[in-house]
Amino acid sequence: MLTEKEKLRREGLYKRVNLSEEKRKKFSERIVNNLESLPEYKSAKKVLLYCPVKGEPDLTPLFEKVLKGKELILPKVKGKELELYKVSSYQCLKKGKFGIPEPIEGKIIPPEELDFIVIPGIVFDLQGYRLGFGKGYYDRLLKKTKGIKVGVAYSFQLVDKLPRDPWDVPVDIIVTEKNIRRLRNGLS
Ligand code: ADP
Ligand code: MG
């Protein structure tokens, strides 16, 4: 028997991977523009992004821009945790655990130091709750962070309400290709 979360995860992933490359590129560019317009992004020093897999919005055009005036941080799976690396160039190169391209090396940054945390997801709800791949990596990371938590998704990945577990950590802002939804002030 599939749990409700597993069912929604499958459906959401199916929709996301089946988005055409053309739309993915167009929507990803709009998501990048929306991210750049946020005051929290403008003032941020340490920015966590990710290397896209399985149809996730491709924010790699933002990497170069972040590197110009901020610190670019990328996550890497290490056991049950996401380890955070400060990278100095475009480093979505090596495939790590689960085939996710990960930065190879860099200075390790403690989660508490992140200012602006960008989180991909399979489904988000209107309160900022999120379904990931089902391993809880971001839930474990986010409980240690103080920065603003920004979920990124295509608008078709949003639903009214997701099932939630006690360990789920919601995001503060959801950015899609259509709009920016502010859910809380990020100080929780
Ligand atoms: P996802 O957030 O990736 O969609 P889930 O929320 O279903 O996945 O969580 C997957 C697993 O991660 C759960 O079985 C849960 O036990 C574990 N987990 C999540 N957060 C924590 C945490 N803060 N501490 C310990 N285990 C956690
Ligand atoms: Mg979760």
Side-chain angles (χ1 to χ4, degrees):
M1 263 281 284
L2 287 180
T3 65
E4 186 63 16
K5 271 189 170 182
E6 283 163 344
K7 203 168 137 260
L8 290 164
R9 214 173 256 131
R10 282 193 184 186
E11 289 169 6
L13 201 53
Y14 181 83
K15 276 198 245 170
R16 196 176 68 185
V17 298
N18 281 296
L19 183 68
S20 72
E21 265 313 300
E22 192 193 339
K23 281 195 179 140
R24 183 163 101 97
K25 187 158 182 286
K26 191 166 83 183
F27 292 173
S28 296
E29 282 168 6
R30 290 187 190 154
I31 290 171
V32 166
N33 288 340
N34 284 341
L35 285 171
E36 284 182 292
S37 76
L38 295 171
E40 290 91 343
Y41 170 78
K42 290 179 184 156
S43 63
K45 297 235 158 48
K46 288 188 170 70
V47 176
L48 182 75
L49 295 176
Y50 61 88
C51 292
V53 292
K54 300 195 175 171
E56 284 168 352
D58 181 1
L59 310 181
T60 55
L62 190 58
F63 286 21
E64 299 270 340
K65 297 186 192 176
V66 170
L67 283 168
K68 281 189 184 134
K70 307 175 189 296
E71 294 177 40
L72 173 62
I73 321 285
L74 295 173
K76 173 175 173 160
V77 170
K78 173 107 187 276
K80 292 201 139 200
E81 305 298 322
L82 290 177
E83 221 165 43
L84 308 178
Y85 285 82
K86 178 184 168 183
V87 301
S88 52
S89 63
Y90 182 94
Q91 284 203 7
C92 292
L93 299 170
K94 203 178 111 195
K95 297 220 168 170
K97 211 175 168 188
F98 308 120
I100 299 171
E102 297 167 330
I104 299 164
E105 55 187 15
K107 186 180 162 210
I108 294 183
I109 303 294
E112 309 81 61
E113 290 186 11
L114 295 173
D115 302 307
F116 192 85
I117 305 158
V118 177
I119 304 133
I122 296 175
V123 187
F124 284 92
D125 77 15
L126 299 182
Q127 282 82 46
Y129 283 85
R130 161 186 181 274
L131 278 188
F133 286 117
K135 306 270 185 207
Y137 281 107
Y138 276 98
D139 289 324
R140 281 189 293 272
L141 174 71
L142 294 177
K143 72 173 191 197
K144 295 185 234 159
T145 61
K146 304 188 190 86
I148 189 105
K149 300 186 272 294
V150 184
V152 288
Y154 308 114
S155 52
F156 62 77
Q157 293 175 277
L158 262 54
V159 299
D160 275 350
K161 194 153 189 223
L162 280 172
R164 26 184 107 148
D165 290 307
W167 57 79
D168 284 323
V169 181
V171 297
D172 304 310
I173 302 179
I174 298 176
V175 171
T176 72
E177 79 284 3
K178 287 201 179 136
N179 56 30
I180 295 167
R181 285 168 191 273
R182 284 187 177 270
L183 309 164
R184 46 185 76 72
N185 64 13
L187 301 173
S188 57

